[in-house]
Amino acid sequence: MTFIKTTEQDSNYNNLENMTINEIIHSINKEDQSVPLAVEKALPQIENLISQIVNKLNIGGRLFYIGAGTSGRLGILDASECPPTFGVPHSLVIGIIAGGDKAIRKAVENAEDSTTQGWNDLEAHNVSENDVVIGIAASGTTPYVISALEKCNSNNIITGCITCNHISPLSLTAQFPIEVIVGPEFLTGSSRMKAGTAQKLVLNMITTTVMIQLGKVKGNKMVDMQLSNDKLVNRAIQMIVNELCISESEASLLLSKHKNVRESITHGRRK
């Protein structure tokens, strides 16, 4: 089958500059509504990759995201939210972007075109066969990402990918590809839009499901979250109140002592 980069195909809308604000936002919203349906079609692929991640993390492995531009930033965003949400170390889920950390805020010219730097960036974290590496690229053609996954494959490291084109070079490289086919963007080629939204939805699924499977959630609550601000402290107190049927002052005392919702509930039950 011939590879067609649908993320680069011409928009279904034309003369955007002549549209009213109302027409623009309604058209974008209409396109956005198709994204969850595209993700739904990829659920079997998502499940397969998550199973691999859970297996590796259960034996001490790590999860890496590697990407360029918007894709790289989304991976870093998802990785950075795991420690505060689930109380895991920053070293468990790691996001890597072409061009290094400075590329998070400002594009680094030609960084995504390197066929060696992706693997170098992974090696800097001592990536091993205990880990899983997910390449993120809407186009599925980014050399930085593809070459990194090729090296992972040759080093017996499980690879996955998130892309928005069917049978792309990246999909053919990854052992566990996820393809979310969202079609042409409202603004031709602007894959930060539907493609970026699709990638974020899949990333949400991956880490949330993995952390639930690893026991980082109780019921439907983030019992291992970091208590980094007043809002989260208040949320933690309410969790303890509801779980132990005690007063807020008692819950607050438990939380002050144990610094963690799970530990507070465990010790509260022993009384």
Side-chain angles (χ1 to χ4, degrees):
M1 184 179 292
T2 303
F3 172 52
I4 299 173
K5 199 183 294 189
T6 57
T7 53
E8 295 291 332
Q9 287 185 327
D10 209 40
S11 171
N12 295 319
Y13 306 81
N14 207 349
N15 301 314
L16 306 187
E17 69 275 21
N18 296 327
M19 286 185 173
T20 65
I21 292 174
N22 182 272
E23 289 171 332
I24 293 171
I25 63 176
H26 275 81
S27 298
I28 292 174
N29 181 246
K30 180 180 178 181
E31 289 298 308
D32 286 345
Q33 289 176 42
S34 69
V35 177
L37 298 177
V39 172
E40 182 180 20
K41 293 178 181 178
L43 288 179
Q45 295 179 325
I46 297 169
E47 181 180 5
N48 287 340
L49 179 53
I50 288 174
S51 295
Q52 296 297 319
I53 298 167
V54 171
N55 289 340
K56 287 297 186 180
L57 267 58
N58 267 326
I59 61 169
R62 298 166 294 170
L63 171 60
F64 287 87
Y65 296 131
I66 187 165
T70 297
S71 297
R73 295 182 189 102
L74 287 169
I76 288 172
L77 172 63
D78 194 67
S80 69
E81 290 177 342
C82 287
T85 304
F86 301 107
V88 297
H90 288 274
S91 57
L92 186 66
V93 183
I94 300 169
I96 297 174
I97 186 170
D101 284 355
K102 62 183 177 181
I104 297 172
R105 292 183 177 273
K106 189 175 182 180
V108 176
E109 190 173 355
N110 298 325
E112 70 174 55
D113 297 327
S114 173
T115 57
T116 57
Q117 192 58 47
W119 175 246
N120 291 341
D121 290 344
L122 285 167
E123 278 199 306
H125 293 274
N126 298 311
V127 67
S128 77
E129 61 184 31
N130 289 329
D131 303 321
V132 177
V133 177
I134 300 178
I136 311 174
S139 67
T141 59
T142 308
Y144 173 86
V145 178
I146 294 170
S147 60
L149 263 60
E150 287 173 343
K151 288 291 287 185
C152 288
N153 289 338
S154 64
N155 283 275
N156 199 32
I157 298 168
I158 288 177
T159 56
C161 75
I162 305 171
T163 183
C164 294
N165 283 306
H166 187 46
I167 315 182
S168 69
L170 181 59
S171 298
L172 296 174
T173 301
Q175 298 162 24
F176 296 91
I178 295 171
E179 296 178 327
V180 185
I181 313 304
V182 295
E185 298 286 1
F186 171 77
L187 179 63
T188 298
S190 184
S191 55
R192 68 186 179 87
M193 300 185 76
K194 286 193 299 182
T197 300
Q199 290 170 334
K200 182 66 171 74
L201 291 176
V202 173
L203 290 166
N204 287 347
M205 285 184 177
I206 290 173
T207 44
T208 302
T209 307
V210 166
M211 295 303 163
I212 292 171
Q213 292 288 300
L214 294 179
K216 305 305 293 183
V217 171
K218 180 175 175 56
N220 57 16
K221 302 296 192 299
M222 299 179 288
V223 292
D224 289 320
M225 66 181 182
Q226 293 178 356
L227 307 176
S228 56
N229 57 49
D230 289 342
K231 178 190 74 173
L232 296 179
V233 170
N234 290 331
R235 180 190 296 168
I237 289 170
Q238 287 304 312
M239 287 186 200
I240 298 166
V241 166
N242 294 336
E243 190 71 23
L244 299 178
C245 297
I246 60 178
S247 68
E248 288 190 6
S249 59
E250 290 174 303
S252 182
L253 285 172
L254 278 171
L255 191 62
S256 296
K257 181 177 181 180
H258 300 291
K259 312 298 183 185
N260 174 271
V261 175
R262 185 191 297 275
E263 289 298 313
S264 297
I265 292 171
T266 298
H267 285 83
R269 285 211 174 102
R270 291 174 182 169
K271 288 185 175 181

